[in-house]
Amino acid sequence: MVTSEWEPFFASTLKNQGVLIEIAKTAFMRKGHSAKIQWYPWKRCMYLTAKGKKDIAIGYFSKERAKTYLYSKPFFEVDIGLVALKETNLSSYKSLKDLKPYVIGVNKGWVNSSEFDSATYLNKDYSLLHHTTIRKLFGKRIDMIVTSIPVFRYEVNKMNKYSLSDVVILKPLLSKNGLYLFSSFNVKDHRQIIQDFNEGLTEIQQDGTYEKIFIEHGF
């Protein structure tokens, strides 16, 4: 399996490499697979999996990606939304078109919501790293960012120099994105791999192991 480090859900520094890696490994173990994770920049993860050089990547679903990869069932949901500086005096919006006057930080290659990602009328400022986007926000180089809300909170708290009291999460959220495993059509036995994961996931959800793992990781 390959993915990018994404605290608090998975990273090389976390217990058992993070709650979602432990979930994935446990689901595979139920079906007789020994899974391991390797960390790469996100574009590299997509390339390696697409070419069949790695078996599995972990990420969001998109219709474009589904042309190349077979997806598992979702095994977690993440709130995706917009976080703005309080000084913008915004707390909500009715339509994305209301946000046309603002510069919005976006992480290159990330899937957010289909409406937002296709909104070419918005002023989007792209960065390769989420940390860079956060620094731009608190440095007042951009007005808001699109992000995974729990990941944003976690990373800001770790940075210390920034405060969540200086920003506001805009209502409504953009989406709840399911997190998936996906395997390229170029991977041998990709259908069996995904089927085995789905079956193992169902087993650990039904017998309480899934919930137990989350509790052990402090969620």
Side-chain angles (χ1 to χ4, degrees):
M1 303 187 295
V2 293
T3 194
S4 298
E5 298 196 62
W6 199 47
E7 297 183 62
F9 300 121
F10 38 78
S12 58
T13 55
L14 296 175
K15 175 185 175 183
N16 295 337
Q17 300 175 307
V19 60
L20 296 184
I21 298 302
E22 187 168 350
I23 290 288
K25 287 182 175 181
T26 303
F28 274 127
M29 196 180 300
R30 288 293 181 92
K31 308 310 291 184
H33 297 287
S34 177
K36 64 180 180 179
I37 185 74
Q38 294 177 325
W39 312 101
Y40 295 97
W42 182 242
K43 283 197 169 183
R44 184 70 176 163
C45 292
M46 299 291 284
Y47 171 81
L48 290 170
T49 311
K51 296 298 183 182
K53 297 178 183 292
K54 300 296 179 183
D55 296 314
I56 292 285
I58 304 173
Y60 295 140
F61 173 87
S62 75
K63 290 181 179 178
E64 185 63 29
R65 290 179 185 174
K67 296 175 183 177
T68 306
Y69 308 96
L70 179 67
Y71 276 78
S72 71
K73 296 192 300 185
F75 68 109
F76 189 66
E77 275 194 339
V78 181
D79 287 341
I80 305 297
L82 291 153
V83 179
L85 293 168
K86 278 190 175 176
E87 63 185 47
T88 61
N89 295 316
L90 278 179
S91 60
S92 63
Y93 62 97
K94 291 183 178 179
S95 164
L96 287 180
K97 290 184 178 179
D98 297 338
L99 305 178
K100 287 172 72 173
Y102 303 98
V103 181
I104 305 173
V106 178
N107 295 294
K108 201 167 187 178
W110 285 28
V111 171
N112 301 294
S113 75
S114 56
E115 182 184 8
F116 179 87
D117 292 342
S118 62
T120 55
Y121 52 83
L122 293 175
N123 187 359
K124 300 177 183 179
D125 179 274
Y126 290 92
S127 297
L128 288 174
L129 300 175
H130 194 227
H131 284 177
T132 304
T133 311
I134 291 174
R135 291 189 182 101
K136 285 181 179 180
L137 178 67
F138 285 98
K140 301 182 180 181
R141 293 164 58 191
I142 55 179
D143 301 304
M144 63 186 69
I145 68 173
V146 58
T147 182
S148 158
I149 302 303
V151 172
F152 174 82
R153 286 178 173 144
Y154 181 86
E155 292 189 351
V156 171
N157 284 330
K158 276 188 67 178
M159 288 176 166
N160 295 322
K161 61 193 275 189
Y162 304 131
S163 173
L164 292 172
S165 63
D166 294 328
V167 296
V168 59
I169 298 168
L170 301 188
K171 296 180 180 178
L173 292 172
L174 287 174
S175 65
K176 281 185 174 289
N177 279 3
L179 203 65
Y180 300 78
L181 300 193
F182 50 96
S183 184
S184 166
F185 298 131
N186 289 322
V187 173
K188 183 181 178 182
D189 299 329
H190 61 275
R191 294 190 183 279
Q192 189 64 53
I193 292 171
I194 295 298
Q195 180 180 326
D196 286 349
F197 172 77
N198 287 341
E199 292 177 0
L201 177 63
T202 298
E203 287 183 18
I204 67 172
Q205 287 173 330
Q206 290 178 345
D207 69 11
T209 301
Y210 180 93
E211 183 178 5
K212 181 181 177 183
I213 291 172
F214 271 93
I215 292 170
E216 288 176 348
H217 282 264
F219 287 86

